[in-house]
Amino acid sequence: TDKEGHNFSIFWVLVSVILGAIAMLCKEQGITILGLNAVFDALVINKLNVLELIQKLLHKDKSLENSGLLRRGLLFRITLLMSGGATILYIRWRIMGTGPPAFTEVDNPASFADSLFVRAINYNYYYSLNAWLLLCPWWLCFDWSMGCIPLIKSVSDWRIIALAALWFCLIGLICQALCSEDSHKRRILTLGLGFLIIPFVPASNLFFRVGFVIAERVIYLPSIGYCILFTYGFSLLSKQAKKKKILAVAVLGILLINVMRCALRSSQWRSEEQLFRSALSVCPLNAKVHYNVGKNLADKGNQSAAIKYYREAVRLNPKYVHAMNNLGNILKERNELQEAEELLSLAVQIQPDFAAAWMNLGIVQNSLRRFEEAEQSYWTAIKHRKKYPDCYYNLGRLYADLNRHIDALNAWRNATVLKPEHSLAWNNMIILLDNTGNLAQAEAVGREALELIPNDHSLMFSLANVLGKSQKYKESEALFLKAIKANPNAASYHGNLAVLYHRWGNLDLAKKHYEVSLKLDPMAPGTKENYNLLRRKLEQLQKKGG
């Protein structure tokens, strides 16, 4: 019955609202699916005549029911969809707050242009590029920001042709969708245009600024409308064409090319290196592309090539602080301290709250033995990022170099409180307490560290040294052996275990581990002298025995 059908349709409307909410949790654009549902309901299920409805609304015609707006509960279902969408947006607003995300000029330069003309013309150019990506998805890039698409600033720019072509096609389609005498044609074109335009509206910059120039993900949903229009266009051509086989071959060719392009693009997404490098030919002016290629190379240990890409990123965008920081970091590691300091100083000058750059600047200043400036840089980094264990660790190293032992221990303790698995901070505490003769405290810290990081061989080694000095030989031996098992090629581990056996009086085992240590590192300081002492002692014992 009508009542059952009405209830059934309401059930599916509610299901679509719930699924729309889930889609929005994945990506905010998902909420536009509710608009698509409304268009489908009106045009396909209720066969609504949009032009007739607009005319009746403009003339305030009372006979709206005849237009199909109230037929079979359409108005009620659309109201339900709109109410569901409003509720979802309200919940999102309650969770996320009212403030829009903070975007910068490099994310979307057109939206920061002072001139309304420049903004409008560039927005429309972006729409035409999105349309082109639907028609011919050849230029694909993981990021379209940072100068990838230079702004159109005057009508003499040849790219304005793209805008004219887009609006010529759109206006033609809209006129056909509203004014065609064929009701079936009107519905198909209106449905296709609705599915093309509605999901794109949130990315259009019309109602709020978005954080991108082009984002390929925002044309996934509009591609439904494009496919409807393309298929309908093909069906019209096939009816009129005399050589239908040629048309079929052309469409199959387009389909095959797109499948191949899809397979190629999917393979590029399998690795960061391929993805980033594929963007170089599409957006050679995009600083972020060069930065990402450089970062990928640096992560793989290819510093020389990474430097080239980081330098290009900074050249293309002289305010790109992340590229400056990473480049400064590599130059610091290569001991090119002067240029590293200049880059990092410039980065913190451009972005004064850039904590990582302040810390790296502190490390460079420390290496240049400008200790007061380094300390100031470290504290500035901590001021801008309260929970910064690595910075506390580096601050502790600075204090240790200055023989401010208590300050160093406090800094390292802060690092371990913020990051309990910070192995280097624990290790430095143990070594400092050991070197200053605080063996009991060093042992306590070592045991605490190993409880938190039980498989760290460097901590086992440091604690084993402390226990050996405290004459806890058995426990020390067990830790040395465990550390050697985890890292068998560390010469110092074998050398220090040999020293333990030497002290303990287990001379044969001491000789064995001295020899292993010297084999791994013949230049190890002190090991050769200790080994020679042991050999003389063994020779004396043999003579006495003889």
Side-chain angles (χ1 to χ4, degrees):
T1 64
D2 280 348
K3 190 178 177 185
E4 284 172 344
H6 182 64
N7 291 336
F8 184 70
S9 66
I10 288 169
F11 168 75
W12 286 113
V13 168
L14 292 172
V15 168
S16 76
V17 170
I18 292 163
L19 292 174
I22 294 167
M24 195 187 78
L25 291 173
C26 301
K27 201 70 194 168
E28 286 178 341
Q29 194 192 9
I31 198 169
T32 60
I33 206 75
L34 301 181
L36 300 191
N37 287 351
V39 170
F40 186 83
D41 194 350
L43 297 174
V44 177
I45 297 169
N46 282 269
K47 297 180 169 53
L48 194 69
N49 185 333
V50 178
L51 183 63
E52 189 186 323
L53 177 65
I54 291 167
Q55 286 171 344
K56 288 192 174 186
L57 284 169
L58 288 172
H59 295 105
K60 296 179 182 177
D61 197 323
K62 303 290 181 189
S63 60
L64 281 172
E65 190 164 352
N66 297 333
S67 67
L69 191 63
L70 301 176
R71 197 187 304 148
R72 286 183 287 176
L74 171 62
L75 188 61
F76 178 75
R77 289 195 300 277
I78 288 176
T79 306
L80 203 59
L81 281 169
M82 288 173 66
S83 304
T87 305
I88 295 166
L89 287 173
Y90 175 74
I91 293 166
R92 187 253 180 218
W93 172 73
R94 292 288 296 177
I95 294 168
M96 302 289 289
T98 53
F103 299 122
T104 59
E105 190 172 345
V106 292
D107 297 319
N108 185 357
S111 67
F112 285 85
D114 294 327
S115 164
L116 179 64
F117 167 77
V118 171
R119 285 204 300 276
I121 211 163
N122 281 282
Y123 288 158
N124 279 278
Y125 181 59
Y126 297 161
Y127 305 157
S128 65
L129 285 175
N130 277 286
W132 179 248
L133 288 177
L134 278 174
L135 285 166
C136 179
W138 204 253
W139 302 328
L140 296 175
C141 183
F142 71 93
D143 184 273
W144 291 82
S145 64
M146 288 205 178
C148 193
I149 302 167
L151 286 180
I152 297 172
K153 291 182 178 175
S154 73
V155 287
S156 59
D157 195 312
W158 65 269
R159 290 175 293 171
I160 282 184
I161 298 165
L163 280 69
L166 171 73
W167 282 107
F168 177 77
C169 294
L170 271 180
I171 290 165
L173 284 167
I174 290 164
C175 289
Q176 284 288 304
L178 293 176
C179 306
S180 174
E181 291 177 8
D182 183 347
S183 62
H184 178 67
K185 185 179 184 179
R186 284 202 308 270
R187 274 199 304 279
I188 293 288
L189 289 177
T190 310
L191 184 71
L193 285 167
F195 275 38
L196 183 72
I197 294 164
I198 291 169
F200 187 75
V201 168
S204 65
N205 286 287
L206 289 175
F207 300 108
F208 47 83
R209 177 186 288 158
V210 297
F212 51 81
V213 175
I214 290 175
E216 288 153 21
R217 64 183 180 273
V218 304
I219 49 178
Y220 294 162
L221 280 177
S223 66
I224 303 167
Y226 164 68
C227 290
I228 292 169
L229 294 171
F230 182 88
T231 310
Y232 185 63
F234 170 66
S235 72
L236 289 179
L237 278 174
S238 64
K239 283 174 189 173
Q240 293 170 7
K242 289 175 183 176
K243 295 181 180 178
K244 289 184 171 60
K245 283 185 180 177
I246 294 171
L247 190 63
V249 167
V251 170
L252 283 171
I254 292 167
L255 185 64
L256 185 63
I257 290 166
N258 277 279
V259 167
M260 288 166 63
R261 180 69 180 124
C262 185
L264 173 66
R265 190 61 178 158
S266 297
S267 72
Q268 288 170 344
W269 271 92
R270 286 181 185 277
S271 78
E272 282 191 338
E273 185 182 3
Q274 283 187 64
L275 179 66
F276 297 152
R277 285 191 178 278
S278 70
L280 285 171
S281 58
V282 179
C283 281
L285 300 177
N286 188 337
K288 196 183 279 188
V289 169
H290 292 273
Y291 168 82
N292 277 289
V293 173
K295 190 173 186 300
N296 185 257
L297 288 164
D299 290 343
K300 290 181 177 177
N302 191 347
Q303 290 190 335
S304 302
I307 285 171
K308 186 183 88 172
Y309 285 101
Y310 282 144
R311 285 197 194 282
E312 182 62 9
V314 174
R315 187 190 71 79
L316 289 167
N317 181 3
K319 292 185 177 180
Y320 200 172
V321 290
H322 292 284
M324 288 175 193
N325 178 54
N326 287 17
L327 178 56
N329 228 347
I330 291 177
L331 294 172
K332 173 192 78 185
E333 286 168 22
R334 291 162 73 99
N335 215 34
E336 295 175 35
L337 300 176
Q338 209 62 49
E339 191 184 353
E341 187 187 18
E342 285 169 18
L343 277 163
L344 293 163
S345 297
L346 183 58
V348 296
Q349 195 179 321
I350 293 165
Q351 189 180 323
D353 63 346
F354 192 3
W358 277 112
M359 183 188 78
N360 289 326
L361 179 60
I363 296 169
V364 171
Q365 289 164 337
N366 193 2
S367 302
L368 290 166
R369 306 191 66 76
R370 298 215 302 274
F371 300 119
E372 279 184 30
E373 289 176 47
E375 184 183 4
Q376 189 61 46
S377 293
Y378 288 141
W379 281 116
T380 308
I382 291 163
K383 183 180 84 177
H384 292 302
R385 192 193 295 178
K386 299 287 184 283
K387 295 179 180 179
Y388 205 174
D390 288 344
C391 196
Y392 277 112
Y393 165 72
N394 285 302
L395 183 62
R397 286 182 61 188
L398 168 71
Y399 288 144
D401 290 344
L402 296 171
N403 292 320
R404 290 166 60 179
H405 295 153
I406 293 168
D407 287 336
L409 289 169
N410 284 337
W412 288 328
R413 175 57 76 178
N414 280 335
T416 60
V417 166
L418 292 168
K419 187 181 176 184
E421 68 278 10
H422 204 302
S423 170
L424 289 169
W426 284 114
N427 224 354
N428 282 17
M429 275 197 277
I430 299 163
I431 293 163
L432 181 59
L433 289 165
D434 180 2
N435 292 343
T436 52
N438 296 304
L439 293 180
Q441 212 178 333
E443 184 184 331
V445 169
R447 289 187 193 281
E448 187 186 347
L450 271 177
E451 265 184 47
L452 292 162
I453 324 166
N455 298 317
D456 192 300
H457 55 80
S458 61
L459 290 175
M460 293 172 198
F461 173 70
S462 299
L463 180 56
N465 284 327
V466 173
L467 292 167
K469 288 180 185 176
S470 304
Q471 297 184 343
K472 296 180 181 178
Y473 297 131
K474 197 77 187 163
E475 204 179 346
S476 176
E477 178 199 24
L479 275 172
F480 272 129
L481 290 171
K482 204 174 171 185
I484 286 166
K485 191 180 178 184
N487 189 18
N489 296 322
S492 59
Y493 289 14
H494 290 280
N496 285 28
L497 176 58
V499 170
L500 178 80
Y501 284 137
H502 199 157
R503 280 186 192 157
W504 200 358
N506 201 334
L507 302 183
D508 290 335
L509 280 171
K511 182 173 181 285
K512 176 192 155 187
H513 283 282
Y514 275 137
E515 285 167 356
V516 174
S517 179
L518 286 166
K519 192 179 175 185
L520 289 166
D521 183 9
M523 308 305 291
T527 306
K528 200 155 194 172
E529 289 84 342
N530 287 335
Y531 179 57
N532 289 334
L533 281 170
L534 177 69
R535 280 179 63 185
R536 282 199 291 273
K537 193 171 184 179
L538 284 168
E539 283 166 11
Q540 286 169 4
L541 288 170
Q542 278 176 348
K543 282 176 187 175
K544 282 179 186 176

